Amino acid sequence: MRIIVQRVNHARLTVNEEEISKIGEGYLVLVGYTEGDTQEVCKYLVDRVIGMRIFKDENNKLNKTLLDVGGEVMVVSNFTLYGNAFSGRRPDFSKSAKFDVAKPLYDFTVEEFRKRLGRVATGVFGEHMHIDMSNDGPITMILEK
């Protein structure tokens, strides 16, 4: 499982020009799955994301978590995170988990965030999505297990 976390001021996701979800300050979380990923891996990485201290404290140090600042989360599936662009000109996505593996893991990941945070914004699995966001920092973290 591979996750890209972007600290954002706000994010808005649309499909076919229809707004699906939006958040204020918090994290835009892009998630990709590969064969062999499990629910345990999902739980571990959700915990890591929620516990990351990448918001500034009163001393301007990155010491606060998402929970400390009351931040929001948008979780979006992204099979291209396992794309390999090092050979040829067209990326190879063969390491990305197939739909029947990735969709249940995505649903589980979203539910794990909901258990811990309450409300969670999402994308639409398998759809062509547009995300407008304001990256804060910019701070972007990559997590993988």
Side-chain angles (χ1 to χ4, degrees), residues 6 18 62 67 79 140 144:
Q6 295 181 302
E18 177 187 344
L62 298 179
L67 293 171
F79 81 97
T140 301
E144 186 169 14

Side-chain angles (χ1 to χ4, degrees), residues 2-141:
R2 192 172 285 165
I3 293 181
I4 304 223
V5 177
Q6 295 181 302
R7 190 179 77 181
V8 298
N9 296 309
H10 58 82
R12 178 178 178 265
L13 184 140
T14 60
V15 174
N16 296 324
E17 298 183 26
E18 177 187 344
E19 182 177 283
I20 302 300
S21 61
K22 65 181 178 179
I23 61 169
E25 178 185 46
Y27 296 154
L28 170 61
V29 178
L30 305 175
V31 296
Y33 305 94
T34 191
E35 296 298 325
D37 284 341
T38 65
Q39 290 182 351
E40 289 306 311
V41 170
C42 296
K43 285 181 183 180
Y44 174 81
L45 287 176
V46 167
D47 185 60
R48 297 294 300 171
V49 168
I50 292 172
M52 280 192 308
R53 298 184 318 170
I54 59 173
F55 288 95
K56 291 181 180 179
D57 66 11
E58 56 282 348
N59 296 316
N60 212 27
K61 300 282 185 200
L62 298 179
N63 275 329
K64 291 194 174 189
T65 68
L66 185 71
L67 293 171
D68 293 335
V69 300
E72 298 179 89
V73 169
M74 178 183 289
V75 182
V76 179
S77 63
N78 189 326
F79 81 97
T80 66
L81 293 183
Y82 276 98
N84 179 350
F86 290 104
S87 178
R89 297 286 181 203
R90 182 177 183 276
D92 172 15
F93 298 108
S94 62
K95 298 285 186 198
S96 298
K98 304 298 181 243
F99 180 91
D100 61 329
V101 171
K103 176 71 164 92
L105 288 172
Y106 173 71
D107 293 341
F108 183 83
T109 300
V110 169
E111 283 309 308
E112 284 299 304
F113 274 108
R114 280 196 178 117
K115 282 181 192 174
R116 295 177 173 129
L117 301 174
R119 183 181 159 308
V120 174
T122 64
V124 181
F125 191 93
E127 289 291 328
H128 185 97
M129 298 170 273
H130 293 268
I131 302 171
D132 295 312
M133 59 99 170
S134 170
N135 195 318
D136 183 22
I139 292 182
T140 301
M141 306 300 297

